[in-house]
C-alpha cells in the first residue's frame, strides 16, 4: 500500500498534468483524464457508470475555479481562472452544437 505522501504527490502531479493540458487547449482529452483522475484519487463513481463529458467538464471547471481562488496572488490566480474559462467556452460550444443538431 502506498504512503499518504506518495498518494498526495501522485494526485498533485496528475492535477498539474491536467492543468497543462487545459492550458494547451486540449480540453476534450483533459475532461476524459479528469474523469480518470477523480475516480482514482478522489473516489468519484462516474467512471464506474459512464463518462458524462458535460458533468465531468463542469466538475473540472469547478476545481480550476476553486484552485484559482485559493491562490495568494493575482499572478497565480489568473492561469487557473483562464483555464476554467476555456472549459466553460468548450462546454458552451458543445451544448450549442448539440442543440443545432437536435433542431435539424
Amino acid at each position: 500500500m502506498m504512503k499518504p505522501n506518495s498518494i498526495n504527490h501522485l494526485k498533485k502531479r496528475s492535477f498539474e498534468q491536467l492543468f497543462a493540458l487545459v492550458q494547451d487547449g486540449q480540453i476534450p482529452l483533459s475532461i476524459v483524464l479528469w474523469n480518470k483522475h477523480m475516480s482514482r484519487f478522489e473516489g468519484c463513481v462516474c467512471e464506474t457508470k459512464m463518462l458524462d463529458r458535460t458533468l465531468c467538464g463542469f466538475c473540472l471547471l469547478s476545481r480550476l475555479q476553486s484552485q484559482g481562488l485559493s491562490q495568494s496572488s493575482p499572478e497565480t490566480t489568473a492561469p487557473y481562472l483562464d483555464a476554467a474559462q476555456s472549459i466553460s467556452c468548450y462546454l458552451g460550444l458543445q451544448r450549442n452544437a448539440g442543440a443545432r443538431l437536435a433542431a435539424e
Side-chain angles (χ1 to χ4, degrees):
M1 183 167 188
M2 280 198 229
K3 296 178 185 176
N5 282 344
S6 54
I7 291 172
N8 286 335
H9 176 73
L10 288 173
K11 181 178 174 181
K12 182 180 179 193
R13 199 165 123 219
S14 174
F15 183 78
E16 289 169 354
Q17 290 170 337
L18 285 163
F19 181 55
L21 283 173
V22 174
Q23 289 182 306
D24 196 34
Q26 297 184 42
I27 308 299
L29 177 58
S30 68
I31 291 173
V32 171
L33 294 177
W34 175 249
N35 176 266
K36 301 226 181 284
H37 169 89
M38 288 299 290
S39 60
R40 180 175 181 197
F41 294 112
E42 303 199 27
C44 182
V45 296
C46 286
E47 187 183 39
T48 59
K49 295 179 182 181
M50 186 174 121
L51 171 61
D52 180 334
R53 291 176 195 274
T54 302
L55 182 61
C56 289
F58 278 112
C59 181
L60 177 55
L61 167 81
S62 174
R63 180 62 61 90
L64 289 167
Q65 288 175 328
S66 174
Q67 191 75 19
L69 295 174
S70 71
Q71 300 298 309
S72 59
S73 72
E75 295 81 29
T76 56
T77 297
Y80 289 100
L81 298 182
D82 289 346
Q85 181 65 33
S86 296
I87 297 283
S88 180
C89 290
Y90 172 81
L91 293 171
L93 290 171
Q94 293 303 305
R95 182 171 182 225
N96 290 340
R100 277 195 301 269
L101 285 174
E104 291 178 356

